[in-house]
Amino acid sequence: MTMNVSVVNSNRYSMRVETIDLTASLMANVTQLKGVRLGFNSAPLNPKEGEGRSVGGGLRATPITFPPTQNTTFQMDFNLAYETTPDFVDDLAFAELLQGCGFLYAPRRPMRVEYRANAVVDFFRRFGYTPRFVDDLNVNCPGPIGQQLMAFNLTAYGLNTTVPRRSTSTTNRIATVGRVASDAGDADFDADEDDSENLAIEWWPTH
């Protein structure tokens, strides 16, 4: 997945960033998953706030300079990777993915991904300081992941799932400083679906 990263440098001087390292976790939607039975004979799920599993990350290893008091946009590759727990019916992240992609008898919905990023800034590196920030973004089910889930006979693993309705629609993305929200709505699982997301960051002035 490609992320369009928008950085606002609010300082009066330019800022050179050597690398940006980002990790992400898929967070369980407590309201939507509470009481859901992932397996035919399993106990209902009872997720707690803040529960999530690592689902990958991204790295920009090429240095980039942000001009003073300007907005700069660049692309960053983000790799999604997740391995289920041995017991499918208790895997909250897998349940979140299945429900978000429409496999749990509910309409597809956005899923919340919490990201943590470390930025190596040339100026701060001299003092041994690495700026860090934490935020989240909402993503609709990426096309390739939906296709992979469709390829499995999930009921053969004892999962109480259904095949989601295929439909086509346009996903509008609204970028705000520090957060991204995606309009809810069904999306098909075409291989050439636009899987880019927008991420906005603001560098606060330093004194």
Side-chain angles (χ1 to χ4, degrees), residues 97-164:
L97 187 62
L98 288 173
Q99 191 178 71
C101 290
F103 287 83
L104 294 183
Y105 299 92
R108 298 185 185 108
R109 59 169 175 78
M111 296 168 282
R112 185 168 70 90
V113 175
E114 180 182 275
Y115 61 86
R116 298 173 180 267
N118 297 327
V120 177
V121 180
D122 187 44
F123 174 78
F124 294 131
R125 185 172 57 176
R126 304 171 192 174
F127 305 97
Y129 174 68
T130 300
R132 296 178 175 87
F133 58 89
V134 179
D135 212 323
D136 56 32
L137 55 84
N138 291 330
V139 296
N140 287 329
C141 181
I145 291 179
Q147 287 182 323
Q148 291 180 43
L149 291 173
M150 290 277 285
F152 286 101
N153 182 3
L154 296 172
T155 57
Y157 293 93
L159 298 175
N160 185 20
T161 60
T162 185
V163 177

